[in-house]
Amino acid sequence: MLRSYSRIHIFIVLAFLLVLFGGIYAFLYLDLGYDSSTFSFCQPCNEGSEPDVKSIMAKVMEDIVGPTECQEKGSWKIGDLTMNYGVKYAQPSTQQGRTDVNSVTNWNAPLVWEGTFDPVVIDAIYKKMDPRIAVVVFAVGKYTRFLEAFLQTGEKYFMVGFRVTYYIFTDHKEEVPNIDLGEGRKISLLDIPSATRWQDVVLGRMKWASIAIDKQIRNEADYLFMMDVDSVFYSRFGAESLSRLTGVLHRLFYKVDRDQFTYERRNLSRAFIPFGEGDYYYTAAVWGGYLEDMYKMVKYCYMQSEEDAKNNIEAVWQEESHLNKYFLYNKPTKVLSPEYLWSDYDQVPADIKVVRISQLVKNYAEVRPNGGQ
């Protein structure tokens, strides 16, 4: 009886110490600023690697309370920021850098400009993680004419050295050009119906992308970008853009007051954002993120536009309006400067040191099914 009583006390003391140690560890983990973009309890285990505090804690907890199911098991995440030995690169400075632009958001996410990262370091880190990157573009009607330049320049500048699949949604497969692709890169063609309004093409992107992710892309990619096909790459667009959810600043609004943003201002729309609210205005021509986070966001934009249709309203800038509403309440974990989507219509200001991708000059009345801007 006495022996059993002592065992109970020993168990209680050990349990208390375990909880105390776990609490201290959790406090340090959060206080140091680590988040799921860098570390994850649910990352796949590497056999043969040295055990760390997290794995030891997980094993101890499993021995006490039994095995627990990891909700993110099998999903790809940006892992530890490690790199191979011997990579040569310039020493980073704590005193010098971009002073003409802001390089961090007010929720402490990176705001990426030329001069805020070292491409050698970035590539050395992210190529070890070896993500499968999907690029979704829509080439409907006469927009197939833009595919050749998009793909050729993408092969020269977009995620060079990474595994990339271009998912091309089109109603004219026979017009898709034959492009020489790099190693580990391929094209996947998906059929969609033609449209009589360009607005329907824009709104339909969310619907068809959601279906394709469910049926195909989820099994073939870890990271997904949505991009406009009427664009050309002019310079590096690389791993510095990868994060859980990445938005791109719209070139027309990155210097203006938020009340000048072209948010949806009608409160009947699900995309409604009142005056006096908002962070940035994001373009819907380039955005990306983890596959499952993008699926959640794409489906959100589709469902919100469907709700608008039931109420006989269409958001002022279709999917872009819903995207901006989503980003307002679900902050992106990385924001890219307008370098990552400029326009050949506009002069390049001094703060844009490099144009990485740019929208082409075109005759909208001629290429769009119903014409107009």
Side-chain angles (χ1 to χ4, degrees), residues 26-149:
F27 172 79
L28 291 174
Y29 182 81
L30 295 173
D31 191 60
L32 288 171
Y34 297 136
D35 60 25
S36 59
S37 298
T38 307
F39 299 98
S40 172
F41 282 97
C42 299
Q43 289 174 343
C45 297
N46 296 317
E47 291 186 5
S49 61
E50 289 294 322
D52 58 11
V53 175
K54 287 181 290 186
S55 60
I56 293 172
M57 284 294 295
K59 176 61 177 173
V60 172
M61 290 300 293
E62 182 174 319
D63 289 341
I64 294 175
V65 300
T68 57
E69 182 179 356
C70 180
Q71 295 302 314
E72 297 178 329
K73 185 177 181 180
S75 62
W76 183 88
K77 294 286 183 291
I78 292 174
D80 294 346
L81 305 182
T82 62
M83 58 192 298
N84 291 326
Y85 293 108
V87 178
K88 304 297 184 183
Y89 55 91
Q91 179 181 346
S93 173
T94 61
Q95 305 299 307
Q96 296 179 337
R98 291 289 294 266
T99 59
D100 57 330
V101 293
N102 183 19
S103 59
V104 65
T105 69
N106 64 353
W107 58 91
N108 207 31
L111 208 169
V112 181
W113 305 79
E114 176 70 5
T116 62
F117 64 92
D118 186 330
V120 175
V121 176
I122 290 289
D123 284 350
I125 293 171
Y126 283 83
K127 284 182 180 178
K128 284 190 68 176
M129 301 179 200
D130 196 27
R132 299 168 300 169
I133 300 170
V135 179
V136 168
V137 294
F138 284 72
V140 181
K142 297 179 179 180
Y143 272 71
T144 54
R145 69 181 62 175
F146 301 115
L147 275 169
E148 185 170 6

Side-chain angles (χ1 to χ4, degrees), residues 56 61-62 65 67 94 99-100 109 121 139 161 173 178 208 227 237-238 247-248 259 268 273 292 313 340 347 351 360:
I56 293 172
M61 290 300 293
E62 182 174 319
V65 300
T94 61
T99 59
D100 57 330
V121 176
K173 281 186 175 180
N178 185 20
W208 297 113
M227 291 187 170
F237 191 126
V248 179
D259 282 348
L268 291 179
I273 299 175
E292 293 303 330
I313 192 169
Y340 291 82
Q347 290 187 333
D351 55 6
L360 294 168

Side-chain angles (χ1 to χ4, degrees), residues 228-241:
D228 278 5
V229 72
D230 54 339
S231 306
V232 169
F233 294 90
Y234 289 113
S235 188
R236 171 198 169 92
F237 191 126
E240 72 280 355
S241 63

